[in-house]
Amino acid sequence: MLDKEIRILAVNPGSRYVGIAVYHGLELVDWAVRSIRDKSPKTKLDQLKSILSEITETHGVNCLAVKALHPARTSKYLKLLAAAVKDWAKESSCIVREYGIKEIETSLMPSGRLNKSRLMGEVAAAHPFLYPELDGERKNRNPYLVRMFEAVALGMRCLGEMESPKGRKQIGNIHEAK
């Protein structure tokens, strides 16, 4: 599929906080929650693009995995932000993959009850060095790192698909769900 190593930037977009994970091949090399503090939509978008550009340049990213937002639970502004992220990736010549949260959960947990706590546990089991963050997140009253754990899970899902791209159609370098 790709001649060089797959380098995935997984993004869980949000209007205030963005979950990010970076994979070099099968290795998770960076994970974080970045905050976008500006008030105006234009400056928030510029700040997000700046964050993504910096990560892309640092890691040589060639694939973007982005969380598909639920249409009924997403504001117009967040939809525009997510669309801008995908447009930015196209301009950067990245392969774009989009996954809904249910698709991510079922790929990591094929059986059993699906919830964010179990998802974070599965991610930490796959990457044991994330256990301290998981323990801290479970003690927090307000979820914060769940965005980062979802981004790591996005990257895991994308890696699985890049090795076995069944069920996807390709349009140029952009991949979309059937």
Side-chain angles (χ1 to χ4, degrees), residues 97 103 157 161 164-170 176-178:
R97 301 282 174 109
E103 186 178 1
R157 174 68 177 99
E161 184 174 299
S164 170
K166 297 175 186 171
R168 294 280 178 178
K169 65 180 181 181
Q170 183 172 351
E176 299 177 6
K178 282 186 179 179

Side-chain angles (χ1 to χ4, degrees), residues 64-76:
L64 174 78
V66 64
K67 179 181 173 185
L69 302 171
H70 192 286
R73 297 179 188 154
T74 305
S75 68
K76 280 184 182 180

Side-chain angles (χ1 to χ4, degrees), residues 142-156:
N142 299 318
Y144 176 73
L145 292 177
V146 68
R147 295 163 184 87
M148 184 254 327
F149 280 99
E150 286 182 358
V152 173
L154 271 166
M156 292 169 66

Side-chain angles (χ1 to χ4, degrees), residues 16 26 29 35 40-41 55 60 64 77 80 101 105 115 123-124 136-137 142 144 150 156 170 178:
R16 284 188 175 165
L26 298 175
V29 296
S35 86
S40 85
I55 292 169
L64 174 78
Y77 172 69
L80 289 172
I101 190 65
E105 289 174 339
N115 62 42
V123 167
E137 182 68 2
N142 299 318
Y144 176 73
E150 286 182 358
M156 292 169 66
Q170 183 172 351
K178 282 186 179 179

Side-chain angles (χ1 to χ4, degrees), residues 58-166:
T58 302
H59 294 283
V61 171
N62 53 18
C63 181
L64 174 78
V66 64
K67 179 181 173 185
L69 302 171
H70 192 286
R73 297 179 188 154
T74 305
S75 68
K76 280 184 182 180
Y77 172 69
L78 189 52
K79 288 177 189 174
L80 289 172
L81 194 67
V85 167
K86 290 184 270 187
D87 290 343
W88 168 86
K90 291 176 195 175
E91 291 169 8
S92 301
S93 300
C94 288
I95 296 169
V96 178
R97 301 282 174 109
E98 188 172 20
Y99 307 97
I101 190 65
K102 293 298 179 192
E103 186 178 1
I104 297 163
E105 289 174 339
T106 54
S107 72
L108 292 178
M109 305 174 296
S111 62
R113 190 173 153 202
L114 305 175
N115 62 42
K116 290 188 184 205
S117 179
R118 271 199 67 212
L119 176 72
M120 290 188 307
E122 292 293 325
V123 167
H127 303 289
F129 48 86
L130 292 177
Y131 275 117
E133 282 88 348
L134 177 62
D135 291 339
E137 182 68 2
R138 286 186 172 160
K139 292 175 186 172
N140 285 342
R141 279 184 164 173
N142 299 318
Y144 176 73
L145 292 177
V146 68
R147 295 163 184 87
M148 184 254 327
F149 280 99
E150 286 182 358
V152 173
L154 271 166
M156 292 169 66
R157 174 68 177 99
C158 187
L159 277 171
E161 184 174 299
M162 295 295 263
E163 292 178 0
S164 170
K166 297 175 186 171

